[in-house]
Amino acid sequence: MFDSHDDDLWEVPSIDVNAPVQAAVPVGEAVPAPEAETVEPASEAEAAAEAVASTLVPEPTETAAPAEAEVPVEDESSTDGYAQAAAEAPEDDGYDMDVLDGKLLEHFGGKIVRKDLTALMKRGANVPTFVLEYLLGMYCSTDDEDAVAEGLGRIRKILTDNYVRPDESERIKSKIRELGRFTIIDKVTAKLDEYKDIYVASFANLTIEPFVMPAEYVRDYSKILQGGIWCIMSIEYRRPMEEEDEFGMEVFGDDAPRRSKAKRKKRGPEDSPFSVASLTPIQMPNLDLDAMIEERQYFSRDEWLNMLLRSAGYEPSELSEKERLHFIERMVPLIERNYNLCELGPRGTGKSHIYKEVSPYAILLSGGQTTTANLFGRMNSMRADRVGLVGHWDCVTFDEVAGMRFKDTNAVQIMKDYMASGSYARGRDQINADASMVFEGNINDTVQNVLKTTHLFDPFPPEFNNDSAFFDRIHYYLPGWEIPKMRSSLLTGHYGLITDCLSEFCKEMRRKDFTHHIDRYFRFNSDFNKRDEIAVRKSFSGLAKLLFPDEAMDKDDVRWLLDYAIEGRRRVKEQLKIMAGVEFIDVNLGYMDADNPQDVHVVRVPEQSEDTLIPDGPLLSGHVFGVGRSQGGEVAVYKLENKAVAGECKFKHEGVAFNKPVRDTLEAAFDNFVNLANRVAPGMHIGSKDYLLFYNDLQSKGLSEEVSLAEFVGLCSAACNRPVMPALAIPGILRMSGSMDEIRGLEDIMRVAKNAGAKRVILPLSAIAGLQSVSSEIISGLSPVFYMDGDPVDAAKKALDL
């Protein structure tokens, strides 16, 4: 049976049944050869075969690293962009180490791998990334290019002969039978059969009947019981001989005792001819989280961020700071429980790479297709399928959201319940789960064109498209249009953590909560509702756990992450305002300094660029755009957002801090409003309301004292609940006495208003003469609306189209 044993069988170290996994060592230190297997041979032939196998231990290179967990294999037809970029990456022609590489070798020796070799092998080997990185850590962790080339050849042979592909299962089974023992790479799972007191195991790709898993492996590698573990396993085959003996006795001897015709015992896992000779995990059997967090102190903020990006396969030097944060944000669903992320953007930006290749705890639903039962479990079931995907995975990703379809009309309602609370009702049960949800899709036009006609959630299918309650549960909208398309230069050629180490780090950190760090320095402003606060806190917590796992954050670090977290939530609210209008009027999310409450900062979204500051559409009542010269001397556009609420005719404002000249001009506008508002629109009952103003310096040019007329109009608009004319810019200074200053710098005012997107500008009749000197290029497309000189009431009526 063993004569055909091949001496060139792939060379991987044999593992002692009772020995722990070989510890990885830093590059530059020798790794002792592993001990031979201690399995008792069943015959002299098997003993001989084992002696041959024991000579196949490779000469180890300078480090032996465990590698990553199970990851879905990259779909060759994917438009993701990452696979194409990997295919276009140039051949390795030598390695140049940088400072970060040196730090990784010093502090994470044995847990790192060269990512350019991963990309190189990924081109010709359609196997999970973590399998490649395990083998690369074993055979190619050296700076000797000849040794690397030899190691790559050996890995290719291993993958050809021993990695179990589903379509080659029968060939591998035959090889195990003919050789008596054979080593394979596959994923194995086990469960306890409490009635027989055995652990019953099965493979993911090798289709053999369940067999017995020795209890020592389950004790050493408990992940075998928790969804399974990828491993290198030596399988033995013992051929049963009872049937042949019985046949011989019946043919050649009448005196031989004959077996009774009683019903034959049903065979179970303990009767399988396949048995485990040795097993070593490819995934990390455990992670010392405290030790990993301890190493954070040796890296600066940027170094740690760059290390995370390189571990995921990206080269941070090719990205801007904002782009690097976008890539880190993609990891937040892996490290934060019940986190809801939406990313829509162009094709080929690598949206699905993180969820397919980095974490074994994430599942990608291609085309966004699934069923309610698959996602949330079967009704009233008592089996494992009672929970569904959200109970078995840390992250469920819907790819191509435009294709999401649910036959069950209740599916969207169940999803909304789960996204809001982390629990849902299924049959008679209330079920809790921790899975985050990610929604990915493509936008087929520029953001500017989309915003002119609809909102940024438009790619969702009709059953979601105008459901503001569903989109309100999304914690962060990642702008895919700000992420570069994947190209070969974006793939790193440096060291990074093996992806299994990164995924285990995210898995362990999910148990922690960093939301309280915001409260050490900042307070949310009044535009925040409870869902906004939950969303921003979750985004902040996930980013902080990734970048500051040791919790060593100063005020600038907290502000940096908080600005980014609020931006993604405000993008959600801006779209909700388009969908539902006044229900989501409070979109100016921001924060105040805990030590100085007058220091207010409002976060805006970048797509609100200067050429679209003044939208060509109806505004909310009380919102106006003023044009004036800043205290620094530049003409700029300011958005004054007024709101009338039940009260006692009090006036409060935010956004001006302790700037007395600006505060005085706003008080002048309010005093004139109290005295003159009834002439604008009688019967407004202004004394029964309080008036709230947010002063928004859209272009960050500094505050202006020249927007008092605009504020007067804004207060009138809020009081009578009537919006001003669309795309209207309002210059002008209104004094406490009720007099108005002459318009100065008319050409600059007209130019800035037009560049900001205004279609109309309101001016006194005396400005007609000044318009003669303004160039026709500026005036074209910008219509003046005239009011009587020195009459703010007439100006307000014209602005409100009364």
Side-chain angles (χ1 to χ4, degrees):
M1 178 171 65
F2 297 97
D3 293 342
S4 60
H5 197 288
D6 186 359
D7 286 346
D8 292 329
L9 187 62
W10 76 283
E11 303 169 357
V12 65
S14 301
I15 304 298
D16 192 322
V17 170
N18 298 311
V21 178
Q22 182 182 1
V25 298
V27 171
E29 298 183 15
V31 179
E35 298 179 4
E37 299 177 27
T38 59
V39 177
E40 283 293 330
S43 65
E44 293 182 4
E46 290 180 350
E50 185 170 319
V52 173
S54 66
T55 67
L56 300 181
V57 177
E59 296 181 5
T61 54
E62 294 163 357
T63 193
E68 205 218 10
E70 179 204 7
V71 183
V73 178
E74 182 75 38
D75 184 356
E76 294 179 358
S77 63
S78 171
T79 59
D80 182 85
Y82 189 94
Q84 181 179 356
E88 295 172 354
E91 292 285 344
D92 180 74
D93 57 355
Y95 176 68
D96 296 323
M97 184 179 296
D98 63 10
V99 174
L100 182 55
D101 288 325
K103 282 194 172 184
L104 287 173
L105 288 168
E106 179 183 355
H107 298 286
F108 290 105
K111 296 184 178 70
I112 58 176
V113 70
R114 275 177 53 184
K115 297 293 178 172
D116 58 332
L117 299 181
T118 302
L120 175 66
M121 291 299 295
K122 192 70 178 173
R123 295 183 225 166
N126 192 22
V127 298
T129 301
F130 69 90
V131 173
L132 292 177
E133 292 194 348
Y134 178 88
L135 297 174
L136 288 169
M138 181 172 290
Y139 294 109
C140 299
S141 291
T142 176
D143 56 2
D144 185 340
E145 293 303 319
D146 292 335
V148 168
E150 180 181 352
L152 293 177
R154 181 175 291 178
I155 292 170
R156 290 187 179 100
K157 177 172 171 45
I158 289 172
L159 295 176
T160 299
D161 294 344
N162 303 90
Y163 176 77
V164 179
R165 294 170 175 81
D167 61 330
E168 297 181 345
S169 176
E170 291 301 319
R171 181 183 69 83
I172 298 295
K173 285 169 61 177
S174 174
K175 203 161 189 176
I176 297 172
R177 178 186 184 276
E178 297 304 321
L179 296 178
R181 176 185 292 185
F182 190 67
T183 307
I184 65 170
I185 299 176
D186 203 348
K187 181 182 180 181
V188 64
T189 59
K191 61 182 180 179
L192 174 65
D193 185 335
E194 59 269 32
Y195 298 106
K196 296 181 179 180
D197 193 28
I198 58 174
Y199 291 101
V200 180
S202 60
F203 289 111
N205 294 332
L206 185 62
T207 55
I208 62 176
E209 293 295 322
F211 56 94
V212 175
M213 172 64 67
E216 56 264 32
Y217 294 124
V218 177
R219 287 193 293 267
D220 291 341
Y221 316 124
S222 61
K223 285 171 63 175
I224 293 177
L225 301 173
Q226 299 171 305
I229 189 170
W230 283 80
C231 60
I232 297 173
M233 183 180 293
S234 181
I235 304 295
E236 285 187 338
Y237 183 87
R238 289 184 172 83
R239 190 179 306 172
M241 305 297 292
E242 294 180 1
E243 299 292 335
E244 297 179 10
D245 293 341
E246 183 177 338
F247 173 79
M249 286 188 292
E250 290 187 359
V251 172
F252 298 107
D254 292 336
D255 297 334
R258 303 189 64 171
R259 181 173 296 183
S260 67
K261 300 291 185 179
K263 185 177 180 180
R264 182 175 297 173
K265 176 186 175 183
K266 182 179 179 181
R267 292 179 177 176
E270 64 276 15
D271 301 311
S272 173
F274 296 96
S275 60
V276 180
S278 66
L279 180 151
T280 184
I282 288 179
Q283 295 176 235
M284 295 184 67
N286 51 66
L287 174 72
D288 188 342
L289 181 63
D290 293 336
M292 187 168 181
I293 292 175
E294 180 70 20
E295 300 298 334
R296 173 64 180 86
Q297 63 183 306
Y298 302 109
F299 295 79
S300 69
R301 184 182 81 180
D302 288 343
E303 286 175 338
W304 189 264
L305 187 153
N306 293 343
M307 181 273 290
L308 292 176
L309 291 177
R310 286 183 175 178
S311 299
Y314 304 111
E315 178 49 51
S317 63
E318 295 289 321
L319 303 170
S320 67
E321 179 178 312
K322 189 67 170 294
E323 290 168 346
R324 292 199 294 269
L325 273 177
H326 288 335
F327 280 100
I328 294 295
E329 171 63 26
R330 287 175 171 173
M331 301 182 192
V332 172
L334 303 177
I335 204 170
E336 187 71 21
R337 293 175 176 174
N338 299 113
Y339 186 74
N340 307 318
L341 173 69
C342 175
E343 180 182 356
L344 303 179
R347 294 172 176 83
T349 56
K351 290 188 287 290
S352 62
H353 170 71
I354 289 289
Y355 313 109
K356 291 187 70 174
E357 294 294 338
V358 170
S359 177
Y361 304 110
I363 184 171
L364 183 76
L365 303 177
S366 299
Q369 294 286 354
T370 188
T371 63
T372 308
N374 187 42
L375 191 59
F376 295 108
R378 298 189 179 279
M379 201 79 83
N380 300 323
S381 173
M382 298 304 294
R383 298 176 298 172
D385 60 1
R386 68 185 293 268
V387 179
L389 295 177
V390 296
H392 293 289
W393 299 88
D394 286 352
C395 178
V396 178
T397 302
F398 294 86
D399 197 15
E400 304 295 344
V401 294
M404 290 176 64
R405 294 290 185 274
F406 291 99
K407 294 181 180 179
D408 184 356
T409 57
N410 293 322
V412 177
Q413 300 303 319
I414 298 173
M415 187 178 293
K416 286 195 293 188
D417 183 17
Y418 174 73
M419 292 170 66
S421 63
S423 64
Y424 58 95
R426 196 72 175 137
R428 297 188 298 268
D429 300 324
Q430 187 76 18
I431 300 174
N432 296 313
D434 293 333
S436 297
M437 285 197 168
V438 178
F439 302 92
E440 298 178 342
N442 300 318
I443 291 181
N444 300 318
D445 202 348
T446 64
V447 174
Q448 291 74 21
N449 288 341
V450 171
L451 289 175
K452 287 179 182 178
T453 58
T454 182
H455 50 76
L456 295 178
F457 286 121
D458 186 61
F460 277 79
E463 52 263 43
F464 295 90
N465 206 19
N466 291 305
D467 190 344
S468 59
F470 173 81
F471 294 119
D472 194 23
R473 287 156 168 79
I474 289 178
H475 298 137
Y476 200 96
Y477 190 128
L478 184 62
W481 55 87
E482 294 184 6
I483 296 177
K485 287 183 176 288
M486 295 304 300
R487 56 186 186 274
S488 58
S489 61
L490 287 177
L491 304 184
T492 187
H494 293 271
Y495 281 104
L497 294 176
I498 56 175
T499 48
D500 193 41
C501 181
L502 177 61
S503 65
E504 289 299 318
F505 169 73
C506 292
K507 175 73 172 179
E508 293 298 319
M509 290 295 291
R510 284 173 71 89
R511 304 173 185 174
K512 297 180 178 290
D513 177 27
F514 283 15
T515 59
H516 60 281
H517 289 287
I518 298 174
D519 301 322
R520 293 162 55 193
Y521 303 109
F522 302 105
R523 302 290 183 268
F524 296 121
N525 69 6
S526 60
D527 276 34
F528 269 83
N529 60 36
K530 192 62 180 177
R531 279 189 179 154
D532 298 332
E533 183 175 343
I534 291 172
V536 170
R537 285 187 182 277
K538 279 182 167 289
S539 297
F540 174 88
S541 177
L543 292 166
K545 286 189 283 188
L546 283 164
L547 297 171
F548 303 97
D550 57 353
E551 304 184 66
M553 289 179 283
D554 59 25
K555 190 172 186 177
D556 288 338
D557 294 328
V558 173
R559 186 193 302 273
W560 177 55
L561 297 184
L562 185 57
D563 280 339
Y564 185 80
I566 293 177
E567 179 187 309
R569 176 58 185 177
R570 176 163 182 177
R571 185 172 289 109
V572 174
K573 291 209 74 176
E574 291 283 358
Q575 311 319 306
L576 294 173
K577 185 174 72 173
I578 296 173
M579 292 181 200
V582 69
E583 182 182 353
F584 296 97
I585 187 175
D586 300 322
V587 298
N588 293 302
L589 305 181
Y591 55 88
M592 299 162 286
D593 193 306
D595 299 326
N596 181 13
Q598 301 301 320
D599 183 8
V600 181
H601 178 68
V602 174
V603 179
R604 54 182 291 266
V605 289
E607 57 265 22
Q608 190 180 350
S609 57
E610 291 191 6
D611 60 346
T612 57
L613 291 180
I614 303 177
D616 187 12
L619 294 174
L620 299 172
S621 298
H623 289 205
V624 294
F625 289 91
V627 182
R629 196 174 303 277
S630 72
Q631 292 176 319
E634 293 184 74
V635 177
V637 175
Y638 302 87
K639 188 177 183 183
L640 307 176
E641 301 175 10
N642 292 277
K643 187 176 181 181
V645 297
E648 302 173 352
C649 201
K650 294 181 180 179
F651 181 51
K652 297 180 181 179
H653 44 71
E654 293 180 0
V656 297
F658 296 105
N659 193 313
K660 188 176 187 305
V662 176
R663 293 166 68 98
D664 288 345
T665 60
L666 297 178
E667 292 294 340
F670 182 72
D671 284 350
N672 279 280
F673 163 73
V674 172
N675 296 326
L676 303 174
N678 284 329
R679 291 171 52 192
V680 176
M684 288 192 292
H685 304 292
I686 62 173
S688 62
K689 300 174 183 176
D690 284 343
Y691 300 89
L692 312 176
L693 164 67
F694 177 71
Y695 190 118
N696 195 346
D697 179 10
L698 296 176
Q699 298 170 303
S700 300
K701 298 293 181 64
L703 302 182
S704 172
E705 305 168 30
E706 300 182 358
V707 293
S708 49
L709 178 60
E711 174 57 10
F712 174 83
V713 174
L715 288 166
C716 293
S717 172
C720 68
N721 195 27
R722 183 181 179 89
V724 299
M725 289 190 295
L728 177 69
I730 307 175
I733 302 173
L734 178 61
R735 298 299 181 184
M736 183 75 73
S737 62
S739 62
M740 298 183 64
D741 289 5
E742 180 183 353
I743 299 292
R744 296 180 295 111
L746 184 58
E747 183 170 358
D748 289 339
I749 289 172
M750 300 282 283
R751 179 186 296 109
V752 168
K754 182 175 181 178
N755 290 341
K759 299 293 188 296
R760 301 175 181 86
V761 60
I762 193 165
L763 298 170
L765 287 171
S766 59
I768 294 177
L771 289 174
Q772 306 303 317
S773 62
V774 178
S775 68
S776 58
E777 179 182 353
I778 294 177
I779 294 178
S780 63
L782 187 59
S783 303
V785 179
F786 295 105
Y787 61 90
M788 298 298 294
D789 290 344
D791 190 351
V793 172
D794 189 44
K797 286 183 176 181
K798 295 291 176 60
L800 296 171
D801 199 22
L802 292 174

